[in-house]
Amino acid sequence: MTTTDPRENGERQGIQSVEMAMKVLLALESGGGALSLSAIAQASGMQPSKVHRYLVSLGRIGLTSQDPASGLYDFGAAMRRMGAESLRRTNEVAVVSGHAVQLRDRTGHSVNLAVWGDRGPIVVSWAYGTRPLPLTVRVGATLPLLTSSVGQVFLAHLPESLTDEVLSGELQGREAEWTSERLAATRARIRGEGHVVTHSGVIPGIISVAAPVFAAGDPLPLAVSVVLPESLGTPDHLAEVTEELRDTVAAASHELGYLP
């Protein structure tokens, strides 16, 4: 007859209890604010009486708190401290680079990641795809604001006080082409659509599709772009690539703690 080590059962029960407690915390996260006991129970798929016991234990160690006036539950002080410390330790570029490589693997196209620098967007990583390109942009290169998809992402999502100096330099001699009305419309369109598509913006014969990645508590986004030959940019394929990109930046932003 097979016997079971009671210590093994204890370990299993302990792990299961942690998982159930995490369901309660995840329900609080998904609520976007303070929640009632019944709302937490519904979101976690647990009975209210069981949820209450977990909330009592989580509250004792500061992971949850209850408002005395409303009776609603929310994250506690210990949870806020851990969240802040977790974000402090996060290497945003490394996190997004991992998502960029997965995007490259799914699409077969080259994917690059850019951050904002003193003189404009800087390419910090480039995941080469299986589709040959006539030319690539080296890591460390600074991209233009107006003609690159990555640049337009930053143009739309950064405060104008950060982009004005770089923009002024690019606008010299092009004021008639890039009027203030066109700039405002471009910013609004990109914010509304959530991505940018440029054709031969930096490299002739290349389509680039870019979208922003946001992190909690950081006003400066990152930008991810998929680069593909113009010959492969049929409407259907471009739509597929764009959807993959949007899914990728949403997942990366979520991992970095951003809540839209």
Side-chain angles (χ1 to χ4, degrees):
M1 182 176 66
T2 303
T3 59
T4 303
D5 189 334
R7 291 174 299 179
E8 184 179 355
N9 284 335
E11 290 173 357
R12 287 180 178 176
Q13 183 62 39
I15 293 172
Q16 185 180 29
S17 296
V18 171
E19 291 174 351
M20 299 304 288
M22 277 304 302
K23 284 187 176 182
V24 174
L25 295 175
L26 290 173
L28 278 172
E29 178 198 13
S30 65
L35 297 175
S36 65
L37 175 61
S38 60
I40 299 172
Q42 182 177 5
S44 62
M46 299 163 59
Q47 293 296 321
S49 58
K50 188 173 185 179
V51 170
H52 182 261
R53 292 196 296 272
Y54 278 105
L55 286 170
V56 169
S57 295
L58 291 169
R60 287 172 180 167
I61 56 177
L63 294 180
T64 63
S65 62
Q66 184 181 23
D67 185 280
S70 66
L72 299 179
Y73 293 89
D74 207 342
F75 289 135
M79 176 62 78
R80 290 192 292 271
R81 290 195 300 270
M82 286 194 295
E85 180 62 16
S86 176
L87 289 175
R88 187 189 68 80
R89 299 184 188 186
T90 299
N91 183 331
E92 296 174 358
V93 170
V95 169
V96 182
S97 293
H99 285 274
V101 169
Q102 295 174 20
L103 176 61
R104 185 273 315 272
D105 293 342
R106 293 196 304 271
T107 64
H109 296 302
S110 296
V111 178
N112 66 64
L113 168 64
V115 301
W116 182 254
D118 292 338
R119 299 181 180 178
I122 299 175
V123 177
V124 293
S125 73
W126 188 290
Y128 289 93
T130 58
R131 313 296 176 87
L133 298 172
L135 187 67
T136 59
V137 178
R138 64 179 177 83
V139 171
T142 300
L143 297 174
L145 271 180
L146 293 175
T147 56
S148 71
S149 62
V150 162
Q152 290 189 22
V153 165
F154 287 107
L155 180 68
H157 292 284
L158 284 181
E160 293 183 26
S161 58
L162 291 180
T163 60
D164 276 349
E165 183 177 352
V166 176
L167 182 60
S168 296
E170 291 190 23
L171 285 175
Q172 291 182 7
R174 306 180 65 183
E175 293 86 354
E177 177 188 0
W178 284 92
T179 63
S180 58
E181 291 79 12
R182 182 182 177 185
L183 285 170
T186 298
R187 289 186 172 105
R189 174 178 54 79
I190 295 169
R191 291 167 186 161
E193 295 179 353
H195 67 277
V196 186
V197 181
T198 57
H199 296 257
S200 299
V202 177
I203 303 173
I206 292 297
I207 298 175
S208 179
V209 191
V213 173
F214 299 98
D218 191 343
L220 301 181
L222 298 87
V224 177
S225 67
V226 182
V227 184
L228 60 151
E230 188 89 45
S231 59
L232 298 179
T234 64
D236 287 346
H237 184 61
L238 197 56
E240 292 174 2
V241 169
T242 301
E243 188 64 27
E244 289 284 358
L245 172 64
R246 291 171 65 91
D247 289 345
T248 296
V249 297
S253 297
H254 181 74
E255 185 171 345
L256 293 174
Y258 175 74
L259 294 175

